[in-house]
Amino acid sequence: MSDQGALSDGRENDFGLIETLLWTRDEGFRLLPEHLARLAASSAALGFAHDEARVRNALNAAVVGASSGRLRVRLVLAREGTIETSVTPIEPIPPDAVWRVAVAKRRFSSADPLLRHKTTRRALYEDALTDAAQRCGADEVLFQNERDELCEAARCNLFASQGEILLTPPLSSGLLPGTLRAALIAQGRARESILRLEDISGSEFFLGNSVRGLVRARLIE
C-alpha cells in the first residue's frame, strides 16, 4: 500500500538540514564541494539561513585534534542558521562485503519535494530499516514509489550496472540527490534511468554514499 505524502504531512519548521561527511587525516573531507553545494541548494529551497564560511569553520573545528584518522562527521543546520556537529570513528566497509537488501513495505510519493533534501526527519527511513533488519536480517532497505519505480535505500543511493555505466534512479522518482551520486554522474560513470525491481532481481547491484562509497548488494526477498 502506498504511503503518499509520508514525509509531507504536518510539515512545520521543526527540522534541520543534515550533511554527513567522511573525513580522513590524509585526504580531509571527501566530496566536500558536493556537500556544500547540496546544503546551499536545500537552504535556498527551504528558507534556511546559510553561510558557507560558517559551515566550513564548523566542519574544520569538529575534526581538530581528532584521535582517529577516519571519522564520520555529521553537521546539522537549523532554520535560523545555527550549526551543530558530531563525530564518530568509522571503519571502512570490507571490499568483499555484499549487503543483504530488503524492499520496504512503505512507499514514497514521487511528488513529495522534501525527498530531495536531507533533513532530520528520518523516521520513515530508519523505521523501515529497523523493520527489515528485524524481519529478515537485512543490512539495508530499498524504497519504491507509487509507480513501482525504485527510489533509494534508507541511507544510500541505488546503482545498477549496465556494462561500464552505473544506472541510478532519476530525481523524478523521488529521492535524495546524494553527493556520491552527483560525483559519479559528473564523472560520466553513472547516468539516470528509471529502475524497477526486475532490473536488479537475481543480480548484484550497488548501494552507495559519500561515507561508505559503493558497496555491492543483493536482494534477499
Side-chain angles (χ1 to χ4, degrees), residues 7 57 98 107:
L7 294 183
N57 289 340
V98 180
R107 294 196 179 218

Side-chain angles (χ1 to χ4, degrees), residues 57-70:
N57 289 340
L59 289 172
N60 290 330
V63 298
V64 168
S67 58
S68 171
R70 184 182 177 89

Side-chain angles (χ1 to χ4, degrees), residues 12-196:
E12 297 87 6
N13 300 334
D14 61 348
F15 61 88
L17 296 176
I18 303 173
E19 291 297 329
T20 305
L21 303 87
L22 176 68
W23 177 87
T24 63
R25 185 168 285 115
D26 292 337
E27 300 179 8
F29 289 101
R30 178 187 287 180
L31 298 180
L32 179 60
E34 287 83 358
H35 282 284
L36 293 174
R38 184 173 67 181
L39 185 60
S42 289
S43 296
L46 298 174
F48 278 60
H50 173 267
D51 182 329
E52 183 175 309
R54 292 189 65 223
V55 172
R56 287 178 177 270
N57 289 340
L59 289 172
N60 290 330
V63 298
V64 168
S67 58
S68 171
R70 184 182 177 89
L71 297 173
R72 174 184 177 271
V73 182
R74 186 177 189 264
L75 179 144
V76 179
L77 175 68
R79 184 171 294 275
E80 70 276 11
T82 59
I83 296 170
E84 295 182 359
T85 59
S86 59
V87 298
T88 308
I90 188 169
E91 295 296 323
I93 298 291
D96 59 347
V98 180
W99 278 353
R100 293 160 47 86
V101 181
V103 178
K105 295 178 179 179
R106 300 182 67 178
R107 294 196 179 218
F108 286 171
S109 168
S110 61
D112 188 347
L114 204 60
L115 290 169
R116 299 191 183 192
H117 307 284
K118 189 169 185 179
T119 78
T120 54
R121 300 182 68 175
R122 301 286 301 166
L124 173 61
Y125 303 91
E126 299 303 325
D127 289 351
L129 180 55
T130 298
D131 174 72
Q134 294 174 346
R135 188 175 74 244
C136 55
D139 300 301
E140 252 288 13
V141 61
L142 276 175
F143 291 89
Q144 301 174 88
N145 66 18
E146 74 282 3
R147 298 188 297 267
D148 294 331
E149 299 169 358
L150 292 170
C151 302
E152 62 182 331
R155 300 174 180 175
C156 297
N157 283 118
L158 168 65
F159 303 90
S161 296
Q162 186 180 75
E164 299 296 316
I165 295 292
L166 295 172
L167 303 181
T168 190
L171 298 183
S172 60
S173 291
L175 56 123
L176 180 72
T179 54
L180 177 62
R181 177 185 181 276
L184 292 174
I185 290 174
Q187 295 163 10
R189 296 174 57 193
R191 65 176 176 83
E192 293 186 332
S193 178
I194 290 174
L195 296 174
R196 293 185 168 84

